[in-house]
Amino acid sequence: MNEKMNRLEFLKSLGLKGASLFAVYCAASGLSSCINESMDPTLPPGTGGNANELILDLNDSNYSKLNTTGSYVIVSGIVIARISTTAFAAVTQVCSHEGKRKVTFRSGEFYCSEHGAKFDTNGKGLNSAGKKGLKTYPTELTGTSLKVTLG
Ligand code: FES
């Protein structure tokens, strides 16, 4: 953990969250590091990371449902599902069929409600509407912190 992260943790420990944390962190860190490392202020509490990764705190109420197999959340256009006691899957919310932002997770599959495209947890299409597959993103759980690598 570098010094900047420690500062961020310190600010979090003061009880600052979301936009107010973002503002204080930027002021304390200086503009250049803010541009390089800033969290998206529109992300909900419990979310960290940068342009290349999302980090979800599974203890936070926004994401605690990911402790239950079969549940999912949508963050910044990414559908993140708990697919087993040990594994997660993350895919784009944008369907490869006609580009609708309607992909969710149900019954162990990713599913688009627009025309019923289905995809497995590796993004492989399971029917004709889903035949182009879905973009997937690697996930990694460390303790209660789930990282989704975007870039
Ligand atoms: S846009 Fe998703 S099934 Fe057609």
Side-chain angles (χ1 to χ4, degrees):
M1 228 19 99
N2 63 29
E3 190 204 327
K4 283 172 185 143
M5 275 309 291
N6 289 339
R7 231 171 18 223
L8 181 58
E9 290 307 319
F10 170 71
L11 291 167
K12 277 184 179 167
S13 74
L14 296 177
L16 295 170
K17 288 195 164 177
S20 57
L21 171 59
F22 180 75
V24 174
Y25 180 55
C26 288
S29 303
L31 190 58
S32 62
S33 66
C34 210
I35 289 168
N36 293 334
E37 300 176 9
S38 64
M39 297 182 301
D40 179 344
T42 62
L43 291 173
T47 317
N50 54 39
N52 299 319
E53 64 187 29
L54 278 175
I55 298 176
L56 308 185
D57 176 1
L58 300 195
N59 284 331
D60 189 280
S61 59
N62 282 308
Y63 304 117
S64 56
K65 66 159 106 162
L66 285 177
N67 293 306
T68 305
T69 301
S71 295
Y72 73 95
V73 298
I74 297 175
V75 187
S76 285
I78 313 291
V79 186
I80 303 153
R82 179 117 198 186
I83 59 171
S84 76
T85 53
T86 54
F88 297 82
V91 300
T92 176
Q93 192 188 3
V94 179
C95 183
S96 57
H97 179 229
E98 289 187 2
K100 303 291 186 199
R101 205 178 168 107
K102 291 195 172 178
V103 173
T104 60
F105 185 74
R106 65 169 203 188
S107 305
E109 298 168 346
F110 291 102
Y111 171 75
C112 176
S113 58
E114 187 73 13
H115 312 103
K118 291 181 177 183
F119 310 89
D120 72 12
T121 54
N122 295 311
K124 183 169 169 280
L126 296 173
N127 59 9
S128 67
K131 66 181 180 223
K132 287 192 234 160
L134 273 186
K135 180 168 177 46
T136 61
Y137 302 93
T139 60
E140 183 183 341
L141 184 66
T142 305
T144 58
S145 200
L146 178 66
K147 180 165 85 174
V148 181
T149 302
L150 307 176

